[in-house]
């Protein structure tokens, strides 16, 4: 009996090792896609960006100022995301983190969206936010998980899940969030579905959303703010 237990353990250890070796395959993508090209003059990304010679790197490559300045929230949703990712700080290339500042007008909304490549950890600097995310269809059946956050509170939005923040207060709100990618990507649900270019066919959207064509046409005619 004891011997069988030991053999079982060895099998488990072997399987665990085998699965950790499996991670030594392709790295996770750091952009939406990376189409292979033969001619380097057409090349832009190499799962991340090309690297500068490290001897030529300076402090400016790791620096950005201005995150104390609020974004302009005079738009349809009443929020503004100021991004600090590899596009703003080239030194973040391949390091797997980035930052945003989010400003909210009174009753402003950072509308439902997902980050295809990052988990987000957010803290409220000013104001009160009603935040939430929805779990995937298959795992736990689209459960909505929400919380009201006050100044100093911290909340996590797991990678890939649809989430939002809504300013429930009469005054401005400000949050800072860290994201686990140099280029988290943003897919704002309404914009992607109803504001795509060219538009997704009515046949697809009427069936997907179980509504009449005029509802789809109405939604497609809106101006979707890419905040
Ligand atoms: C966010 O704020 C910046 C800086 O004020 C502004 O340039 C930008 O247009 C704003 N974005 C939106 C979506 O309102
Ligand atoms: C904010 O954006 C609005 C609309 O684009 C514009 O009218 C206003 O001047 C901007 N405010 C600031 C402080 O830049």
């Amino acid at each position: 009996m004891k011997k069988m237990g030991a053999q079982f353990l060895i099998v488990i250890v072997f399987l665990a090792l085998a699965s950790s070796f499996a991670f030594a395959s392709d790295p996770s993508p750091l952009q939406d896609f990376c189409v292979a090209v033969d001619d380097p003059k057409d090349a832009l990304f190499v799962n991340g960006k090309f690297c500068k010679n490290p001897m030529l790197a300076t402090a400016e490559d790791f620096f950005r100022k201005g995150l104390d300045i609020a974004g302009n929230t005079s738009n349809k949703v009443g929020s503004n995301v100021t991004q600090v990712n590899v596009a703003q700080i080239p030194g973040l290339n391949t390091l797997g983190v980035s930052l945003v500042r989010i400003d909210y007008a009174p009753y402003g909304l950072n509308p439902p969206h997902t980050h295809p490549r990052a988990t987000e950890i957010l803290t409220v600097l000013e104001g009160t936010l009603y935040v939430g995310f929805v779990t995937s269809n298959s795992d736990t059946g689209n459960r909505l998980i929400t919380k009201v956050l006050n100044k100093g509170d911290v909340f996590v939005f797991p990678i890939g899940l649809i989430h939002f923040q809504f300013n429930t207060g009469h005054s401005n709100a400000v949050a800072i969030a860290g994201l686990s990618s140099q280029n988290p990507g943003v897919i704002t649900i309404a914009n992607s579905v109803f504001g795509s270019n060219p538009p997704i066919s009515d046949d697809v959207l009427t069936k997907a959303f179980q509504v009449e064509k005029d509802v789809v046409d109405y939604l497609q005619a809106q101006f979707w703010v890419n905040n």
Side-chain angles (χ1 to χ4, degrees), residues 37-73:
V37 287
D38 292 330
D39 187 344
K41 90 169 166 39
D42 296 327
L44 268 181
F45 299 111
V46 193
N47 201 34
K49 312 262 187 194
F50 288 119
C51 305
K52 193 181 201 176
N53 177 346
M55 293 309 289
L56 302 177
T58 68
E60 295 307 304
D61 293 328
F62 303 93
F63 173 78
R64 182 186 187 270
K65 63 193 289 184
L67 213 59
D68 56 326
I69 298 165
N72 187 335
T73 57

Side-chain angles (χ1 to χ4, degrees), residues 105-162:
Y107 308 109
L109 172 71
N110 187 9
H113 63 279
T114 96
H115 303 291
R117 293 176 287 278
T119 288
E120 175 172 347
I121 181 165
L122 175 145
T123 187
V124 179
L125 301 186
E126 283 308 329
T128 303
L129 297 175
Y130 167 71
V131 307
F133 65 83
V134 182
T135 67
S136 61
N137 306 7
S138 47
D139 286 14
T140 44
N142 302 119
R143 256 188 86 201
L144 173 64
I145 295 181
T146 65
K147 183 89 182 154
V148 173
L149 304 182
N150 294 300
K151 184 171 176 167
D153 291 351
V154 176
F155 199 79
V156 173
F157 304 104
I159 183 168
L161 300 186
I162 294 177

